[in-house]
C-alpha cells in the first residue's frame, strides 16, 4: 500500500486523432459479384493483396476455398486483379496474413475446409515468381480453428483470431512474439480488456506498432461487426486501452472488418454495405487531426479515497483457491464502489493483480471484476486491466485483485 499512498504521476502517449473521408468502393478491376476481403498493401503502396471467395475464377471454382489475389497500380488506379501468379493457391482455403517490409515476401495460410492448422507459411518472390511456401511453426495452435492472422512486416509479432482453450467468446485475439533466437512464443489471449463474448477478428497493427485495429460484434456498435482500435500502453504487449469504435463514415449498419492503414494517409477495409450480402473492398483517405497529446494520470490519495468511498471500504477482492467468480458480498462491494464513481466521470480504475496465481486464473478474475463494474454502469473506457508483474506470488491458487483509482 505504500506506493499507493504516494502521489503517482504516469504519463501516457496518446496516439494521433485520425479523420477519415467517405469510403469509396474500389472499381470492378478489384471488386466483383464474388466476395473480396482482407486487403493488404505492399510497403511501396503499389500492390494490393486481398482474398476473393465464391468466385468461378478461383482455383477449384466458385465453391472451393478462397484464393489470394493481387492488383498493381496504373496511374494511381488499381489494374485488373489476378490470382494465377500465386502457385500456392489450392482448392482449399488460401488467406493472406502479411506482407514483408521489402514487399518480396508473403505470409499465407493454406488450410483445409475445417481450418485446422499448425502454423502459417512464408513465400519469397524471385525472378521466376513466388516460391513454394515454407511452414512457420508456432506452439500452442495445433488443431485449433484459426480464422485469421496478421504478421507484422518485420516478422516479429503475430496477432491471431481464433477459438482457443481460454477463449471468452466466438473468437478472441491472441498475440505471439518472436524471441532473439527466432522462436515464437505460445499465443497469449489479449484478455477481457479487448476480447468479448462476441467475435474479435481481422487484427491489423499500425506501422509504429502502437495501435491495434480489429473488428468485433461484442460491443454496442453500429452493425453486424464494427471496426475498433486499441492503443498499446507502457510499451507492453499485454496492456491496452479500452477499444474505441472508429465510428462513421468507416463503420456502417452492416458488416465492416479487415481494416488496414498506410502512412496515416489511406485506409482500406471490407464491408457489405452496398447490399447483396457479400463484402467488397473500400478505400478512405486519412488526415491527421489533433497531434498526439499527453494524459497525466494521478492516483488518488488516501484522503481523497476516504472522502469518496469511506475510510474503511476495501478496494481489494480476494479469491479463494481456484475461484474465478466474485461472491455475493464482493458483488455488493463492487456495486457500492461503482455507485460512488458513476457521476465522477473524471475518475478511472486500474484493475490490478496484486497476488499472482496461474495466468488463466488471473485473467478470469480480472474479467469477473471488470464485468461487475460494467454491469454496475461504469463505462468500459474508464476501466483498464493492468497485467504488469504482481507484488506477490501465490502457490495456493488464491489471488487478489485491487482497484486503484486515478484521474
Amino acid at each position: 500500500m505504500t506506493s499507493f499512498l504516494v502521489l503517482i504521476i504516469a504519463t501516457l502517449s496518446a496516439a494521433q486523432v485520425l479523420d477519415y473521408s467517405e469510403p469509396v468502393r474500389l472499381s470492378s478491376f478489384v471488386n466483383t459479384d464474388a466476395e473480396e476481403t482482407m486487403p493488404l498493401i505492399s510497403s511501396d503502396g503499389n500492390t494490393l493483396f486481398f482474398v476473393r471467395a465464391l468466385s468461378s475464377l478461383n482455383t477449384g471454382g466458385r465453391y472451393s476455398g478462397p484464393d489470394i489475389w493481387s492488383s498493381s497500380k496504373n496511374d494511381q488506379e488499381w489494374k485488373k486483379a489476378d490470382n494465377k501468379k500465386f502457385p500456392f493457391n489450392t482448392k482449399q482455403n488460401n488467406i493472406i496474413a502479411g506482407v514483408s517490409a521489402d514487399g518480396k515476401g508473403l505470409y499465407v495460410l493454406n488450410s483445409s475446409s475445417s481450418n485446422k492448422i499448425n502454423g502459417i507459411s512464408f513465400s519469397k518472390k524471385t525472378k521466376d515468381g513466388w516460391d513454394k511456401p515454407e511452414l512457420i511453426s508456432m506452439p500452442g495452435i495445433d488443431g485449433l480453428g484459426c480464422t485469421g492472422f496478421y504478421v507484422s512486416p518485420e516478422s516479429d509479432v503475430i496477432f491471431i483470431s481464433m477459438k482457443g482453450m481460454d477463449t471468452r467468446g466466438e473468437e478472441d485475439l491472441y498475440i505471439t512474439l518472436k524471441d532473439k533466437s527466432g522462436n515464437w512464443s505460445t499465443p497469449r489471449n489479449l484478455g477481457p480488456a479487448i476480447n468479448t463474448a462476441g467475435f474479435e477478428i481481422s487484427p491489423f497493427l499500425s506501422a509504429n506498432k502502437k495501435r491495434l485495429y480489429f473488428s468485433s460484434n461484442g460491443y454496442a456498435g453500429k452493425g453486424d461487426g464494427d471496426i475498433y482500435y486499441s492503443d498499446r500502453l507502457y510499451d507492453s504487449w499485454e496492456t491496452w486501452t479500452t477499444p474505441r469504435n472508429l465510428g462513421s463514415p468507416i463503420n456502417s449498419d452492416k458488416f465492416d472488418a479487415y481494416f488496414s492503414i498506410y502512412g496515416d494517409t489511406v485506409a482500406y477495409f471490407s464491408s457489405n454495405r452496398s447490399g447483396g450480402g457479400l463484402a467488397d473492398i473500400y478505400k478512405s483517405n486519412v488526415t491527421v487531426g489533433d497531434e498526439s497529446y499527453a494524459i497525466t494520470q494521478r492516483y488518488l490519495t488516501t484522503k481523497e479515497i476516504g472522502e469518496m468511498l469511506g475510510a474503511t471500504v476495501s478496494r481489494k477482492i480476494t479469491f479463494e483457491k481456484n475461484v474465478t467468480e466474485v461472491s455475493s458480498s464482493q458483488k455488493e462491494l463492487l456495486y457500492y464502489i461503482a455507485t460512488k464513481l458513476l457521476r465522477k466521470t473524471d475518475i478511472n480504475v486500474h484493475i490490478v493483480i496484486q497476488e499472482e496465481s496461474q495466468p488463466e486464473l488471473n485473467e478470469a478474475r480480472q474479467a469477473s471484476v471488470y464485468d461487475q463494474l460494467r454491469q454496475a454502469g461504469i463505462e468500459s473506457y474508464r476501466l483498464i486491466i493492468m497485467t504488469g508483474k504482481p507484488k506477490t506470488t501465490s502457490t495456493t491458487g488464491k489471488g487478489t485483485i485491487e482497484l486503484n483509482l486515478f484521474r
Side-chain angles (χ1 to χ4, degrees):
M1 291 292 293
T2 303
S3 63
F4 184 77
L5 300 179
V6 179
L7 207 61
I8 300 176
I9 302 296
T11 300
L12 302 180
S13 293
Q16 291 174 329
V17 176
L18 302 180
D19 296 319
Y20 301 91
S21 69
E22 189 67 33
V24 175
R25 182 179 177 272
L26 298 190
S27 75
S28 58
F29 285 161
V30 173
N31 290 312
T32 65
D33 58 358
E35 179 163 78
E36 286 78 27
T37 61
M38 304 183 186
L40 290 176
I41 307 294
S42 60
S43 58
D44 63 6
N46 291 324
T47 305
L48 166 67
F49 300 94
F50 64 97
V51 171
R52 179 178 288 166
L54 299 174
S55 170
S56 60
L57 299 178
N58 278 353
T59 306
R62 177 178 175 83
Y63 298 106
S64 63
D67 270 10
I68 297 171
W69 291 67
S70 72
S71 172
S72 57
K73 270 189 176 179
N74 181 17
D75 295 329
Q76 301 305 309
E77 296 295 331
W78 295 111
K79 295 191 294 186
K80 189 173 181 62
D82 176 39
N83 65 334
K84 303 306 180 186
K85 64 184 66 173
F86 304 120
F88 42 76
N89 278 329
T90 68
K91 295 181 180 180
Q92 306 301 327
N93 297 323
N94 309 284
I95 295 173
I96 183 78
V99 184
S100 65
D102 62 5
K104 297 180 179 179
L106 291 182
Y107 298 92
V108 300
L109 171 64
N110 302 102
S111 66
S112 64
S113 57
S114 63
N115 217 21
K116 302 298 183 182
I117 64 167
N118 60 357
I120 58 176
S121 299
F122 179 75
S123 176
K124 189 73 174 177
K125 188 177 185 179
T126 68
K127 58 183 179 64
D128 298 320
W130 293 94
D131 283 345
K132 180 180 179 181
E134 295 184 4
L135 181 67
I136 301 173
S137 183
M138 287 178 287
I141 64 171
D142 290 352
L144 296 178
C146 301
T147 60
F149 286 80
Y150 176 72
V151 186
S152 69
E154 296 76 20
S155 186
D156 56 356
V157 56
I158 297 176
F159 288 92
I160 309 170
S161 173
M162 69 179 184
K163 193 171 183 65
M165 298 298 293
D166 57 349
T167 297
R168 303 185 75 228
E170 299 171 44
E171 291 94 20
D172 277 4
L173 293 183
Y174 291 74
I175 186 173
T176 174
L177 302 171
K178 184 189 288 185
D179 63 23
K180 294 180 180 179
S181 300
N183 300 314
W184 292 96
S185 63
T186 299
R188 179 180 176 83
N189 192 302
L190 288 185
I194 288 182
N195 291 314
T196 68
F199 66 67
E200 280 72 43
I201 60 172
S202 67
F204 178 84
L205 188 65
S206 63
N208 65 2
K209 295 185 171 67
K210 295 294 186 181
R211 177 168 288 184
L212 175 66
Y213 297 90
F214 62 94
S215 186
S216 174
N217 68 347
Y219 299 93
K222 296 170 62 67
D224 297 336
D226 275 14
I227 299 166
Y228 295 80
Y229 71 87
S230 179
D231 292 320
R232 190 159 66 95
L233 299 178
Y234 315 117
D235 289 326
S236 167
W237 290 105
E238 298 180 339
T239 306
W240 301 83
T241 62
T242 299
R244 291 184 178 272
N245 193 304
L246 280 187
S248 300
I250 297 298
N251 286 316
S252 68
D253 60 355
K254 302 296 184 180
F255 176 79
D256 304 293
Y258 304 107
F259 181 93
S260 58
I261 188 169
Y262 302 91
D264 287 346
T265 59
V266 62
Y268 292 85
F269 66 98
S270 294
S271 176
N272 63 357
R273 66 186 63 193
S274 62
L278 298 180
D280 291 322
I281 295 174
Y282 288 77
K283 171 187 174 182
S284 173
N285 293 322
V286 183
T287 55
V288 178
D290 296 334
E291 290 296 328
S292 59
Y293 54 91
I295 300 177
T296 300
Q297 294 186 337
R298 179 180 68 82
Y299 284 131
L300 301 190
T301 64
T302 302
K303 180 180 179 181
E304 290 173 318
I305 293 171
E307 291 174 348
M308 182 171 53
L309 301 181
T312 61
V313 175
S314 173
R315 289 166 288 104
K316 289 187 176 182
I317 307 295
T318 299
F319 294 84
E320 294 300 318
K321 181 179 180 180
N322 297 328
V323 173
T324 59
E325 296 296 324
V326 294
S327 66
S328 296
S329 60
Q330 289 168 341
K331 287 181 181 179
E332 292 179 5
L333 172 61
L334 291 170
Y335 181 79
Y336 172 82
I337 293 174
T339 58
K340 297 296 183 180
L341 296 176
L342 281 176
R343 294 186 179 181
K344 299 184 181 296
T345 56
D346 63 324
I347 297 177
N348 305 307
V349 183
H350 278 160
I351 303 174
V352 184
I353 300 171
Q354 289 292 307
E355 185 178 28
E356 181 183 34
S357 187
Q358 297 95 327
E360 60 273 15
L361 289 178
N362 295 334
E363 293 180 2
R365 288 164 175 168
Q366 284 181 301
S368 182
V369 171
Y370 176 93
D371 289 342
Q372 286 301 315
L373 292 172
R374 285 287 293 116
Q375 291 176 28
I378 303 298
E379 298 89 344
S380 60
Y381 70 83
R382 298 172 61 191
L383 304 173
I384 298 177
I385 291 179
M386 302 294 288
T387 55
K389 185 174 178 58
K391 293 180 178 179
T392 60
T393 300
S394 170
T395 59
T396 65
K398 294 183 178 181
T400 300
I401 304 294
E402 184 171 15
L403 306 181
N404 287 349
L405 309 182
F406 67 95
R407 57 160 48 98

